[in-house]
Each structure stands twice: as structure tokens, then as C-alpha cells.
Amino acid sequence: MTVFVSRDKINSGFTSKVQRLADQNLMSCYQCGKCSAGCPMAAYMDIPPNQMIRLAQLGMEDELLDSEAIWLCVSCMTCNTRCPKGVRIAELIESMRQIKLRARQDHLQVEKISEADLRAIPPIALIGSMRKFTS
Amino acid sequence: MKLSYFPGCTLKNHARNFEDSTLYAMDKLGVEAVELDRWNCCGTVFSLSADDLMRQVAPIRNLLRTRERGDSQLMTGCSMCFNTLKRANNRARANEEDLASMNTFMYDEPVDYAGDVDVLHVLEVVRDQIGFDAIRERVVKPLEGLRVACYYGCMLVRPNEAAIDDAENPRVLEDLITVLGGEPVDFSHKTECCGAHQTVDKPEIIADKTYEILGSAKAQGADTVAVSCPLCAFNLDHRQEATLKIHSDFHTMPVVYFSQLMAIALGGSESVLRLDLHHTPPGPLLTGKGLL
Ligand code: SF4
Ligand code: SF4
Ligand code: SF4
Ligand code: SF4
């Protein structure tokens, strides 16, 4: 993917918003890629975790908030336990989902889940999905 | 020994097999699990937002219920409930201001939460309080010849501050299977996430994960995979149908709760196993090994 770095984007406030919501310092990341190497969802993501962090450092709000990747992360914590810099990647990705959800832009349309699925899928999955994907 | 017990919603319906077998095994081992008489859903996933304390209130209320009983320990079997309760508790303990805000939200509670309840997973009670030696003595039907791949998933071992064992190579389930007379099988995917809640709108991803995880267990010669999370169980067992549709070379395999294996070894009858709740039936395997 080609992205254009600009001072406007870097200073847009997106980076600090993400850091505040996650209580993390994005600048700690030195792009080793270990988070992406172990991520069980990386193969399905349009932007792998280390690149999400890099884009967030540079204030690339649209690229991140319009990505599929932020919704594919399942908070499995593999990246967090392995990051040599102690960056809590899962928290950072959650904060990007939260920016969307707090603007009432839900990812899951609960009313579209079929009656049969509602019966078959256990509450642990339905509630988890609603907590992660709806406001 | 009496312990306050938090079942969680899924153990009361889809995962009755997990609850019934856990309560049976605990009883056999001298632990009376006393269910909290007024508990609420913990919220399933721990909220990762720094500023959202409201979502920590649900798990913390269950700890208050424990305190009301005069108890200082709360046991649960569901890995996700365990993780959520434990992390909320960690957060309350680590930050006085956060705890004060949570208590303000819970103004209708007669007492404040003081951070004084420990959250325990059943496997911690088994390992640290009952002890493997005591369990070995109570085994009446050893799991002879049963090759079990122990699957931890995420929530038992990550993050470190909520883990019951090593994050990369946990052993507690293998040690338990050994004491029960079975043969633990090492496999590469024992802490690899199954895809969790993606099962709701992206079951095809779960199918890939199930294919990889069960395939890796099968390749090491496992007869079955043992789990401790109702979501892992649903994904690895009930999504086998979807897995077969996408991966034609997939071999179905029974998935069981570790507690069911405990119940069998401790002399439980088939009624506490609730095998009717499984998708790929464990019955033929267990009968074949002389365990039913
Ligand atoms: S593992 Fe940590 S330091 Fe390495 S790329 Fe990922 S976030 Fe950055
Ligand atoms: S928490 Fe998210 S980004 Fe990190 S390894 Fe798991 S799925 Fe990947
Ligand atoms: S985490 Fe799941 S099983 Fe546990 S109480 Fe909440 S919904 Fe129920
Ligand atoms: S493997 Fe999946 S369902 Fe199991 S604990 Fe991890 S996220 Fe939850």
C-alpha cells in the first residue's frame, strides 16, 4: 500500500487520541515485526499489526479506521506477550475500534444474525462479538 | 473445603457438560463449590480501553457478591470469565483512583469493594489447593491409552498478569492428564487462538483455525483435544461441520472438557458428562478405550 506522509496528518491529533484511549506510547514501537509474525489473524488482515502501529504513529486515521484489520483482531494477546518493547498492541487496536464505535459506527449488524444462529451460537460468543463490534 | 463459585452464562446452557462434570469432579475431590446466589454476566471480554471504567463494574460486582458471603476466593471454570474477572480485579487493585470511581458507580451496593477477593480458575484449585498427589489417589478409572492433546487457547495463559501458567509452554493440563492415567500429547498449536468471537460473522476463519489446530493434534497422534473454554469448545467442535465443507481432507475429532476427563477417571457415570451436547460424539472413542 502507498501512503503519503504529511505534517497535517501527523499533527491531526489521531495519534494522541489512540495513545490516550489505550494508555500506551506508540513511539515505543521499533518495527521489529514480532507482533505480526505470531498474530493468528494476520493472514486475513489487510494491514498486519506492526503496520497498524506504524500508520498510527504517522496519524493515518482514514487508512486505519476504514481497514478490515481493526475488526479482525480478536484480542488474543499473543502480540502483547511477545513484544520486546512491551507495547500493548491489542489495546491500541481496541482504541481504534472504540473511535469508530463511539461514533456509533457498528461493525456487527445484530439484527442480521439468523434465528438459527442465535440459538446455536453460545452466549459467550454472541456477547463477546457484541462487546467488540457494537456501541 | 468450600469455595464460592461463579458459573457464567454459557455453563448454564450450551456448556452444561462443562459445569456438570466440573461440579462432580470437585465434589469427588472434597471441594464444595457454592454458587453465588446472585451473580451477573461478567461481560465475556475484558475491556481494554483506559478510560472506560463502567465496563469493569459487572465483573467487580461478582467479587462483591463473594465478599457478602464472607469469602475471599471466587472460583470459575470458564476461561473467559476467569480472565475477565481476574483482569478487572487486577485493575481495581492496581489503581486506587480507578477503584474509587468504580465504587462510586456502584453507589447502590451496601459496601464498597476493597480489592480483597482472589479470582481462581478450577485448574488452579486442582493444582495448588487439592494437589496432583491427592487426585492420583482418587482415580478409579485411569484414562489408559487415551492420547489427549491439551488446548489452552488464550485466556488461561495471556496476558502474563492473568495467566495460570507459562504463556508459551503451559503444563498444568498435561500434568493433570498424566495423573488421571492418560497420555498427554505435545502439539504445536496448544496456545494458538481459535478465532474466538469471529465465529459469529466469520465462521470461515474459524474453520481454517479448527483445521490447523485439530490437524496439528491429529498429526501428533492425539485421540481427542481437551479444552477449558466454552468458546474454544464451540469453535473446535461445533465448527467441524463448516471445517469439512472448506477443507475436504479434514478429519473430525472429538473435543472434550478437561473436567469431563476428570469426571470419568474419578468414577463419574455418563449422566454427568452430557455427551449429547457435543457435535462430534466422543462416545465411540471413550467406549473403544473402555472408559464408558
Ligand atoms: S512487536 Fe512491538 S516493537 Fe515489534 S513491531 Fe510489534 S509493536 Fe513494534
Ligand atoms: S491481539 Fe490482535 S493483533 Fe495481537 S496477535 Fe491477537 S489478533 Fe493479532
Ligand atoms: S463470560 Fe461468557 S460465560 Fe462468562 S458470564 Fe460472561 S457471557 Fe457468560
Ligand atoms: S482460543 Fe479462542 S475462544 Fe479460546 S480462549 Fe482464546 S480466544 Fe477464547
Side-chain angles (χ1 to χ4, degrees):
Chain A
M1 145 165 75
T2 313
V3 291
F4 295 96
V5 178
S6 76
R7 189 172 299 150
D8 283 351
K9 281 192 180 176
I10 291 174
N11 295 330
S12 68
F14 177 71
T15 306
S16 56
K17 197 195 279 183
V18 169
Q19 294 190 123
R20 196 171 58 244
L21 284 174
D23 191 20
Q24 289 298 298
N25 180 2
L26 274 166
M27 302 309 160
S28 300
C29 166
Y30 57 14
Q31 286 295 303
C32 68
K34 194 161 181 155
C35 48
S36 300
C39 173
M41 293 296 139
Y44 307 94
M45 288 174 172
D46 44 359
I47 308 172
N50 72 306
Q51 289 185 23
M52 283 196 249
I53 302 302
R54 187 76 185 116
L55 290 171
Q57 288 172 337
L58 297 170
M60 302 283 173
E61 178 167 1
D62 295 341
E63 287 79 354
L64 286 164
L65 298 189
D66 295 339
S67 73
E68 264 298 302
I70 59 172
W71 305 108
L72 280 158
C73 163
V74 286
S75 307
C76 74
M77 303 288 150
T78 308
C79 51
N80 284 22
T81 52
R82 292 181 184 169
C83 172
K85 295 282 288 178
V87 178
R88 297 186 165 207
I89 302 107
E91 274 82 341
L92 288 159
I93 300 174
E94 175 120 324
S95 71
M96 297 180 217
R97 284 191 295 268
Q98 281 295 320
I99 291 172
K100 294 281 275 195
L101 297 177
R102 290 179 189 191
R104 294 285 180 271
Q105 292 174 295
D106 286 5
H107 178 66
L108 179 79
Q109 262 62 57
V110 178
E111 61 283 2
K112 288 201 183 131
I113 305 175
S114 73
E115 182 88 27
D117 272 354
L118 285 176
R119 240 176 259 287
I121 298 174
I124 192 169
L126 291 168
I127 299 169
S129 173
M130 288 181 211
R131 287 291 295 266
K132 290 289 184 184
F133 296 157
T134 65
S135 49
Chain B
M1 173 174 38
K2 267 191 191 183
L3 274 178
S4 293
Y5 164 63
F6 177 81
C9 332
T10 302
L11 270 72
K12 290 294 178 192
N13 48 74
H14 290 65
R16 277 259 56 134
N17 43 356
F18 192 9
E19 172 160 68
D20 290 1
S21 55
T22 299
L23 294 179
Y24 174 85
M26 284 291 141
D27 183 60
K28 277 278 155 181
L29 294 169
V31 175
E32 189 190 337
V34 186
E35 183 174 327
L36 297 178
D37 41 48
R38 197 158 66 86
W39 55 266
N40 53 267
C41 172
C42 63
T44 313
V45 287
F46 176 72
S47 166
L48 298 172
S49 306
D51 65 345
D52 192 0
L53 283 175
M54 192 50 112
R55 290 191 162 189
Q56 309 298 345
V57 169
I60 295 296
R61 278 195 205 274
N62 292 309
L63 305 183
L64 266 177
R65 300 283 86 78
T66 311
R67 255 287 148 238
E68 274 168 13
R69 293 194 61 250
D71 210 346
S72 60
Q73 293 185 318
L74 179 63
M75 172 178 79
T76 186
C78 172
S79 304
M80 287 190 92
C81 301
F82 166 74
N83 194 277
T84 304
L85 293 167
K86 177 140 182 185
R87 294 196 70 186
N89 198 26
N90 285 350
R91 178 151 183 190
R93 285 174 169 176
N95 188 323
E96 258 173 60
E97 256 177 57
D98 281 1
L99 179 57
S101 308
M102 287 187 228
N103 279 320
T104 311
F105 290 155
M106 299 186 288
Y107 62 86
D108 54 343
E109 296 284 357
V111 287
D112 279 354
Y113 182 57
D116 48 358
V117 173
D118 290 325
V119 179
L120 298 174
H121 190 268
V122 168
L123 283 168
E124 291 179 295
V125 175
V126 161
R127 178 190 61 196
D128 306 329
Q129 302 201 7
I130 302 168
F132 290 129
D133 290 337
I135 298 176
R136 191 180 284 113
E137 285 169 19
R138 303 268 168 81
V139 170
V140 294
K141 196 187 269 185
L143 307 175
E144 254 164 56
L146 190 69
R147 295 173 56 83
V148 185
C150 300
Y151 179 71
Y152 294 81
C154 318
M155 297 300 150
L156 283 182
V157 293
R158 290 188 293 268
N160 289 327
E161 65 267 23
I164 68 164
D165 206 339
D166 185 79
E168 301 292 346
N169 191 21
R171 296 292 317 163
V172 55
L173 278 168
E174 282 86 350
D175 290 345
L176 176 64
I177 298 301
T178 306
V179 183
L180 298 177
E183 260 180 72
V185 174
D186 212 10
F187 72 125
S188 56
H189 282 55
K190 69 180 183 179
T191 61
E192 178 91 7
C193 178
C194 67
H197 51 271
Q198 297 290 357
T199 200
V200 176
D201 64 337
K202 295 218 164 27
E204 64 284 0
I205 293 185
I206 309 302
D208 289 353
K209 293 287 156 195
T210 298
Y211 177 72
E212 288 165 21
I213 294 165
L214 297 187
S216 120
K218 189 115 203 158
Q220 297 304 314
D223 300 316
T224 181
V225 170
V227 299
S228 132
C229 166
L231 184 47
C232 304
F234 178 76
N235 285 346
L236 296 181
D237 183 15
H238 293 262
R239 290 291 184 220
Q240 289 189 27
E241 199 178 317
T243 308
L244 256 183
K245 280 191 191 134
I246 300 179
H247 301 277
S248 56
D249 59 335
F250 172 66
H251 295 284
T252 62
M253 186 184 211
V255 173
V256 296
Y257 288 103
F258 74 89
S259 56
Q260 290 174 300
L261 297 178
M262 288 180 80
I264 293 173
L266 296 170
S269 67
E270 215 178 309
S271 65
V272 301
L273 304 179
R274 289 298 307 271
L275 297 179
D276 56 304
L277 293 172
H278 293 248
H279 175 74
T280 296
L285 167 70
L286 296 172
T287 308
K289 300 276 177 193
L291 295 171
L292 273 192

